[in-house]
């Protein structure tokens, strides 16, 4: 059985500090064992976890029903309730995702580089686990399994803190994961969930729990990410906004531009990879702008545009300076006409969030420049911005999208949850 007693809440602030410190100590001890676990053992554990989630599906659904009822009673938004709600199909998908992570190649122990020095020293750069990863998330219960499984595969320990909305669901999933770990002979403490809704637990994690936590990953809205980035005493993998652009260049095929734009904006409007701004080159505006704006409007998307965009359809409303820097997460898009590639890149640099940006063009030279010069974690050519997803990259899943420049960038999968060390092999060399 798991070492952590999953009670509902800590009794008081002193108890919280004591319990959080204990969680950190147990995670650090588990991380040392996980770093030495074989690929086979980790994969057995992931298969066992997937099966425990399936077998425990009824209990998970009962706890989830309590979370959903509480969210409705609190008049939470329909979008939040949808993210929170589980059913048998979603439980099966959670278990399948865990198994897919188990089927990935082991990221630990990879030889990243090897070279020989003139003095005969042989030096290897080898992938090793990061250690203990703290994941703070909000309303999606599946993050419990995704994050825990990714950390496990990469040989790490995980400390998970679910939002108050998904607390009961996450606790039930975490119990299944701990049972799967024990079944495979791995420490139950390798995946721990903080058993309280108290927001002070987030603050405790951001301090690093006395050196126990090596990196923090926030999964949630802007307020959560802002707090984590402002207060964390350890490195953070995160993005603040997903202000993603689709630039329709002069040489864009209109049919492709329409298809890619609609998918980028309307497939799922509430995800970080959804397009929030359309830029159209003036050189193709006469032929492309009106059809693209009409397609968006007819699909139920509100368009806020500059003067040129407003001129093509009376349904377009005026865009303000703030619109160019807004992540709508809704069926709304800002749109403007730009004077060529340089102006498009300049607009993205001034207003974007370095998340995901796309160019639609048949001109390979323009595409090459866009991919090289747009400083975003993900840049696409003739492809939807909604491919900004670890599963679509073949990573099995992701623990988040990172837009920083240190270590991990873009979808954070199992390889990004490792670091490296150097192994130096000699035969008696000394330094003069």
């Amino acid at each position: 059985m798991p070492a952590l007693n999953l009670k509902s809440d800590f009794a008081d602030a002193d108890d919280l500090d004591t319990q959080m410190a204990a969680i950190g100590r147990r995670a650090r001890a588990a991380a040392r064992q996980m770093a030495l676990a074989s690929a086979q053992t980790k994969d057995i554990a992931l298969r066992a976890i997937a099966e425990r989630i399936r077998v425990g599906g009824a209990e998970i659904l009962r706890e989830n029903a309590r979370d959903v009822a509480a969210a409705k009673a609190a008049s939470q938004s329909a979008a939040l309730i949808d993210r929170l709600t589980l059913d048998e199909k979603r439980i099966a998908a959670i278990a399948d995702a865990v198994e897919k992570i188990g089927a990935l190649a082991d990221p630990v122990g990879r030889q990243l580089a090897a070279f020989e020095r003139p003095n005969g020293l042989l030096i290897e750069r080898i992938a090793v686990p990061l250690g203990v990863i703290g994941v703070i998330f909000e309303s999606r219960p599946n993050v419990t399994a995704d994050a825990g499984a990714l950390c496990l595969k990469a040989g790490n320990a995980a400390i998970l803190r679910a939002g108050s909305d998904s607390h009961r669901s996450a606790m039930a999933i975490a119990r299944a994961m701990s049972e799967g770990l024990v079944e495979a002979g791995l420490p139950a403490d390798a995946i721990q969930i903080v058993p309280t809704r108290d927001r002070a637990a987030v603050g405790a994690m951001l301090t690093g729990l006395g050196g126990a936590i090596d990196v923090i990953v926030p999964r949630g809205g802007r307020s959560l990410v802002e707090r984590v980035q402002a207060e964390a005493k350890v490195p953070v993998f995160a993005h603040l906004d997903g202000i993603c652009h689709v630039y329709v260049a002069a040489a864009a095929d209109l049919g492709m531009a329409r298809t890619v734009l609609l998918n980028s904006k309307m497939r799922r409007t509430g995800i970080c990879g959804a397009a929030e701004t359309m830029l159209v080159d003036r050189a193709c505006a006469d032929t492309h702008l009106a059809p693209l704006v009409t397609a968006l409007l007819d699909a139920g998307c509100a368009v806020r545009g500059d003067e040129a965009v407003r001129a093509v359809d009376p349904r377009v409303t005026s865009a303000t300076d703030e619109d160019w820097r807004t992540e709508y997460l809704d069926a709304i898009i800002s749109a403007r006409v730009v004077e060529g590639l340089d102006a498009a890149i300049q607009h993205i640099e001034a207003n974007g969030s370095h998340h995901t940006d796309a160019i639609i063009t048949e001109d390979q030279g323009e595409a090459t420049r866009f991919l090289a010069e747009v400083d975003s974690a993900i840049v696409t050519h003739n492809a939807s911005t909604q491919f900004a997803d670890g599963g679509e990259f073949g990573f099995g899943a992701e623990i988040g999208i990172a837009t920083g420049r240190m270590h991990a960038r873009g979808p954070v999968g199992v390889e990004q949850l490792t670091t490296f060390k150097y192994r130096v092999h000699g035969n008696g060399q000394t330094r003069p």
Side-chain angles (χ1 to χ4, degrees):
M1 293 298 294
L4 180 60
N5 177 22
L6 297 176
K7 57 185 179 179
S8 297
D9 286 287
F10 298 132
D12 52 43
D14 290 339
D15 190 37
L16 185 145
D17 290 341
T18 300
Q19 292 279 4
M20 292 299 294
I23 289 171
R25 287 194 299 272
R26 289 196 292 265
R28 178 54 62 187
R32 288 194 290 270
Q33 296 181 59
M34 293 301 301
L36 301 176
S38 69
Q40 181 181 24
T41 300
K42 290 185 290 186
D43 292 347
I44 290 171
L46 288 165
R47 289 195 294 271
I49 286 169
E51 185 58 26
R52 290 284 184 169
I53 290 172
R54 293 188 183 103
V55 170
E59 179 191 353
I60 295 169
L61 289 175
R62 280 195 299 272
E63 294 301 302
N64 181 248
R66 296 176 66 196
D67 282 337
V68 171
K72 290 178 177 178
S75 300
Q76 296 284 13
S77 69
L80 183 144
I81 291 170
D82 178 65
R83 290 194 296 270
L84 174 63
T85 302
L86 297 176
D87 55 26
E88 290 184 0
K89 184 176 179 181
R90 289 184 176 184
I91 293 288
I94 290 171
D96 290 347
V98 171
E99 284 191 335
K100 288 178 181 177
I101 292 168
L104 297 173
D106 188 6
V108 178
R110 291 172 295 135
Q111 186 184 77
L112 305 176
F115 49 94
E116 183 176 359
R117 300 294 297 146
N119 61 5
L121 286 177
L122 298 176
I123 301 176
E124 299 176 281
R125 186 185 302 138
I126 302 296
V128 297
L130 283 169
V132 177
I133 299 173
V135 184
I136 302 169
F137 59 98
E138 293 182 333
S139 59
R140 293 186 186 272
N142 64 291
V143 175
T144 312
D146 286 350
L150 287 165
C151 291
L152 189 164
K153 181 72 178 186
N156 300 292
I159 299 174
L160 312 176
R161 199 281 180 177
S164 58
D165 296 315
S166 60
H167 182 74
R168 298 178 186 88
S169 309
M171 295 268 284
I173 294 170
R175 278 193 290 271
M177 299 189 82
S178 291
E179 291 166 2
L181 284 164
V182 171
E183 184 179 325
L186 292 173
D189 292 329
I191 300 174
Q192 297 182 78
I193 190 160
V194 176
T196 179
R197 296 178 177 84
D198 192 333
R199 290 180 179 269
V202 174
M205 290 179 67
L206 297 182
T207 68
L209 298 181
I213 295 177
D214 295 289
V215 66
I216 290 282
V217 182
R219 289 284 303 270
R222 183 184 180 92
S223 60
L224 170 64
V225 178
E226 282 183 330
R227 180 186 178 188
V228 170
Q229 292 182 334
E231 298 180 19
K233 305 300 183 184
V234 295
V236 175
F237 293 162
H239 72 274
L240 188 58
D241 292 307
I243 303 174
C244 305
H245 299 77
V246 174
Y247 169 49
V248 181
D253 176 83
L254 177 57
M256 179 187 293
R258 183 188 293 110
T259 299
V260 172
L261 174 64
L262 288 174
N263 186 264
S264 296
K265 176 69 251 185
M266 298 300 290
R267 173 187 166 271
R268 290 183 65 189
T269 60
I271 65 173
C272 61
E276 306 292 14
T277 299
M278 174 180 69
L279 304 174
V280 178
D281 193 325
R282 189 173 298 280
C284 69
D286 287 346
T287 55
H288 288 37
L289 182 59
L292 294 174
V293 170
T294 299
L296 286 164
L297 291 165
D298 289 350
C301 182
V303 179
R304 300 176 183 177
D306 65 2
E307 183 178 356
V309 178
R310 294 197 304 275
V312 305
D313 195 300
R315 294 175 289 175
V316 177
T317 59
S318 181
T320 67
D321 286 343
E322 187 63 26
D323 281 306
W324 310 123
R325 296 182 292 276
T326 297
E327 183 182 26
Y328 300 110
L329 299 175
D330 199 353
I332 306 169
I333 195 168
S334 58
R336 75 184 307 175
V337 173
V338 294
E339 303 290 344
L341 179 61
D342 287 335
I345 294 172
Q346 183 178 7
H347 176 97
I348 293 169
E349 178 62 28
N351 300 285
S353 59
H354 308 288
H355 191 292
T356 302
D357 298 293
I359 183 173
I360 312 301
T361 184
E362 298 301 303
D363 184 324
Q364 189 59 49
E366 276 200 321
T368 299
R369 274 198 61 200
F370 185 93
L371 297 179
E373 296 180 29
V374 172
D375 182 26
S376 295
I378 304 168
V379 284
T380 79
H381 172 212
N382 291 347
S384 172
T385 60
Q386 297 219 7
F387 283 110
D389 175 86
E392 294 297 327
F393 275 47
F395 295 173
E398 69 183 40
I399 204 168
I401 302 284
T403 55
R405 290 173 174 80
M406 298 298 290
H407 181 64
R409 205 171 189 213
V412 179
V414 292
E415 290 188 10
Q416 291 73 33
L417 294 178
T418 63
T419 182
F420 59 82
K421 68 179 180 183
Y422 289 97
R423 295 176 181 170
V424 181
H425 307 272
N427 56 4
Q429 290 93 331
T430 58
R431 184 172 177 177

